[in-house]
Amino acid sequence: MNIPFLSLKEVTALHGAEINEAVTSVVNSGWYLQGEENERFETNYANFIGTKHCIGCANGLDALIWIFRAYIELGVMQPGDEVIVPANTYIATILAITENGLKPNLVEPKLNTLEIDDDLIEAAITPKTKAICIVHLYGRNAYTDKIGELCKKYGLKLIEDNAQAHGCMVKVKGYGLEVKEMMTGSIGDAAGHSFYPGKNLGALGDGGAVTTNDDELAEAVRTLANYGSQKKYVFKYTGRNSRLDEIQAAVLDVKLKYLVEDNAHRKEVANYYYNHINNPLVSLPDRLPDEQNAYHLFPILVAGGKRDALHDYLDQNGVGTVIHYPIAPHKQECYKEWNQMSFPITERIADEELSLPIGPAIKMEEVAEVVRLINAYKG
């Protein structure tokens, strides 16, 4: 049995007829940028997330870059200010901070959740801290009421990296709100989203968006991503060209209709993994309520230096797996000034993490075979 980590061809085929129709309609329209498809998708995605604004842009990294840049242009932040961010995130989160001359303040995750440790955040806050950027890594909710309370106590912006968690729900009590069920991407002051093809809501190329309820921030983000221009040939900021094209917007609008259904299948797969994986070498992160995990990925931790061997064993038996992420950000050459820093939990996750096949197209008999192989693995 050949079980790919994720077959984008099969994922696209789930809604292929509608996608082809949508793409053909755009091609035949003769209008390919900043048209009706963008407007429709932005409206529908904002409604789905639960925010006033959605601004499409070129990719998820740009989405985060524009949030921080907009706050700088609006005088909320300035270069040299600090942003608290999980040490184990994908590097794009950190690139968006340093791109704007801001300083990332790395905080360890909890090993049992793989998300930022809210017990460590307050000690990391300094007079120069202006924001906490949480990352809903692997599709798992990273928000806690304690994080919301810290933002309120210290007057910090809460920014969400929602690149991996489309469709994840949270019951929010902090951050100035009564108990309320909210979608990740609507909890904080602004959120960045990625529509990279492998994401739960994936385009047929790159794409991203910013969601926010802040009118001023939304206008600044949209302007920055359009060369810094609010009006043709008039430039308020030194911006860049970072726009979501009409074809990708049309594709995303089709797939958005099926996101809840597709995520439900991911949850079925994940629950099978939780209920049936039984190998002393393998540990699973804490099981969240289903609504608090979009299951973009299903990470396991493999003890005793056996991760790479398990990866090879599964590959030899026709199962694709991926390591997210083998080198922690503070160990990357591009941040060599951090290479001597120590984040033991982050480094352990980098050494032990392995992501199993999961997605809207995988068959349950394939999931059962993955489990059988893992449980039979002796190391």
Side-chain angles (χ1 to χ4, degrees):
M1 189 179 291
N2 180 42
I3 306 170
F5 176 71
L6 180 68
S7 170
L8 293 177
K9 184 177 180 179
E10 291 180 10
V11 170
T12 303
L14 291 174
H15 316 298
E18 285 185 70
I19 289 171
N20 285 330
E21 183 180 350
V23 170
T24 300
S25 177
V26 174
V27 171
N28 291 338
S29 75
W31 194 284
Y32 307 125
L33 282 169
Q34 296 182 301
E36 293 180 0
E37 297 296 341
N38 260 270
E39 185 176 345
R40 182 181 298 111
F41 172 68
E42 288 180 348
T43 298
N44 289 340
Y45 193 62
N47 289 338
F48 177 79
I49 293 296
T51 56
K52 288 175 64 177
H53 303 283
C54 168
I55 305 97
C57 59
N59 53 67
L61 172 57
D62 277 7
L64 292 171
I65 287 173
W66 299 134
I67 291 169
F68 290 114
R69 173 73 185 280
Y71 277 131
I72 290 172
E73 294 290 353
L74 295 172
V76 175
M77 300 179 191
Q78 62 182 1
D81 284 341
E82 297 175 3
V83 178
I84 290 173
V85 64
N88 65 317
T89 186
Y90 180 58
I91 202 167
T93 321
I94 295 171
L95 290 172
I97 297 168
T98 59
E99 171 83 6
N100 283 290
L102 301 167
K103 181 183 176 183
N105 192 345
L106 307 182
V107 171
E108 285 267 60
K110 292 182 178 178
L111 190 62
N112 62 318
T113 68
L114 308 180
E115 307 298 329
I116 193 168
D117 188 341
D118 58 0
D119 291 329
L120 302 179
I121 291 176
E122 188 163 22
I125 296 172
T126 76
K128 294 185 74 66
T129 304
K130 292 296 187 290
I132 299 173
C133 182
I134 58 174
V135 183
H136 304 295
L137 202 62
Y138 310 112
R140 300 170 58 88
N141 165 50
Y143 177 82
T144 66
D145 291 326
K146 186 171 186 176
I147 292 173
E149 290 160 5
L150 288 171
C151 287
K152 187 176 181 180
K153 177 179 178 180
Y154 291 97
L156 306 177
K157 295 297 182 183
L158 178 61
I159 297 165
E160 298 173 78
D161 182 338
N162 200 53
Q164 300 185 5
H166 314 128
C168 181
M169 300 290 294
V170 187
K171 287 184 178 177
V172 175
K173 285 188 285 189
Y175 212 51
L177 296 166
E178 298 300 321
V179 177
K180 182 179 179 182
E181 192 169 62
M182 302 179 74
M183 192 81 72
T184 58
S186 70
I187 302 166
D189 296 280
H193 307 252
S194 168
F195 305 127
Y196 181 78
K199 297 296 198 291
N200 291 40
L201 181 60
L204 301 186
D206 276 321
V210 172
T211 55
T212 183
N213 289 313
D214 185 327
D215 297 342
E216 191 176 25
L217 182 73
E219 182 179 12
V221 167
R222 191 176 295 281
T223 302
L224 284 162
N226 186 39
Y227 299 100
S229 173
Q230 292 172 309
K231 181 181 177 182
K232 195 169 185 179
Y233 301 134
V234 179
F235 301 92
K236 184 174 183 179
Y237 307 120
T238 54
R240 278 189 3 219
N241 175 11
S242 177
R243 299 176 298 203
L244 184 67
D245 69 65
E246 288 286 280
I247 287 178
Q248 301 305 341
V251 169
L252 289 166
D253 204 50
V254 169
K255 296 179 79 173
L256 179 60
K257 294 187 295 182
Y258 300 99
L259 179 57
V260 172
E261 176 186 327
D262 289 346
N263 279 356
H265 183 68
R266 290 176 179 271
K267 291 171 184 178
E268 183 182 6
V269 173
N271 284 324
Y272 191 93
Y273 283 145
Y274 270 115
N275 292 336
H276 294 91
I277 290 177
N278 183 19
N279 185 315
L281 292 172
V282 173
S283 60
L284 308 181
D286 285 357
R287 196 171 189 170
L288 295 172
D290 268 353
E291 68 274 10
Q292 293 193 33
N293 197 337
Y295 290 111
H296 170 57
L297 300 170
F298 193 90
I300 63 174
L301 299 179
V302 186
K306 302 288 187 180
R307 189 267 311 277
D308 292 351
L310 177 57
H311 170 277
D312 293 345
Y313 159 82
L314 291 172
D315 182 65
Q316 290 159 12
N317 283 276
V319 176
T321 59
V322 175
I323 297 167
H324 295 94
Y325 303 95
I327 305 174
H330 69 284
K331 295 296 185 182
Q332 297 286 352
E333 185 177 357
C334 63
Y335 292 120
K336 54 182 175 293
E337 66 274 21
W338 300 345
N339 287 175
Q340 300 307 311
M341 297 176 73
S342 176
F343 294 97
I345 296 175
T346 294
E347 291 159 24
R348 179 174 171 182
I349 293 169
D351 289 340
E352 296 187 1
E353 195 277 343
L354 187 67
S355 296
L356 303 182
I358 193 168
I362 191 171
K363 300 175 179 62
M364 292 310 296
E365 56 264 32
E366 294 175 323
V367 178
E369 175 64 7
V370 174
V371 171
R372 185 189 70 78
L373 288 166
I374 289 173
N375 289 346
Y377 179 68
K378 304 301 182 185

